[in-house]
């Protein structure tokens, strides 16, 4: 994988410099096995699959983070709040946590 930036979303396509991933388990696997610098997460990933919050909890439990930044791009305000609070509490201090709807067609 060329990109070191991952964009997790079941519907939207990420920015050009991100690799768009639709499967939460695969996203976690890449985060564990590759040197990832930046990630952007959606909360609602479709029925019957993990949510972005589930991915965030797995990252915390396994202590796996990108080296530079975590962005939350979800339209779900409660999901965003929960994910940001979790990362602000547990992510390494050198990892920037942001909430920005990057990659959305309307922007």
């Amino acid at each position: 994988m060329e990109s070191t930036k991952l964009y997790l979303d079941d519907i939207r396509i990420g920015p050009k410099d991100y690799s768009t991933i639709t499967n939460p388990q695969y996203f976690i696997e890449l985060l564990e096995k590759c040197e990832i610098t930046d990630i952007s997460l959606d909360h609602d990933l479709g029925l019957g699959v993990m949510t972005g919050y589930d991915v965030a909890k797995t990252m915390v439990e396994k202590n796996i983070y990108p080296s530079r930044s975590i962005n939350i791009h979800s339209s779900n305000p409660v999901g965003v709040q929960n994910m940001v609070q979790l990362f602000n509490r547990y992510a390494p201090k050198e990892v920037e946590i942001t909430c920005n709807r990057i990659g959305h067609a309307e922007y």
Side-chain angles (χ1 to χ4, degrees), residues 11-27:
I11 297 173
R12 295 174 286 262
I13 302 297
K16 292 179 190 175
D17 57 338
Y18 280 71
S19 294
T20 300
I21 308 297
T22 58
N23 181 296
Q25 289 86 4
Y26 183 57
F27 179 89

Side-chain angles (χ1 to χ4, degrees), residues 8-84:
L8 179 63
D9 201 300
D10 62 320
I11 297 173
R12 295 174 286 262
I13 302 297
K16 292 179 190 175
D17 57 338
Y18 280 71
S19 294
T20 300
I21 308 297
T22 58
N23 181 296
Q25 289 86 4
Y26 183 57
F27 179 89
I28 292 166
E29 181 180 321
L30 290 173
L31 197 54
E32 287 178 308
K33 295 181 179 179
C34 303
E35 292 186 30
I36 307 298
T37 58
D38 305 275
I39 62 172
S40 188
L41 303 168
D42 187 17
H43 181 274
D44 301 321
L45 300 172
L47 296 175
V49 298
M50 299 172 72
T51 66
Y53 185 68
D54 294 326
V55 170
K57 289 190 302 185
T58 301
M59 291 171 60
V60 168
E61 290 168 4
K62 294 185 173 196
N63 197 33
I64 51 173
Y65 300 96
S67 60
R68 192 168 43 205
S69 71
I70 298 170
N71 182 65
I72 312 301
H73 66 261
S74 180
S75 299
N76 179 327
V78 174
V80 169
Q81 181 180 14
N82 290 338
M83 293 167 72
V84 168

Side-chain angles (χ1 to χ4, degrees), residues 73-97:
H73 66 261
S74 180
S75 299
N76 179 327
V78 174
V80 169
Q81 181 180 14
N82 290 338
M83 293 167 72
V84 168
Q85 286 177 347
L86 184 70
F87 285 132
N88 280 338
R89 181 167 183 183
Y90 294 106
K93 298 302 176 207
E94 63 271 12
V95 176
E96 179 183 12
I97 313 300

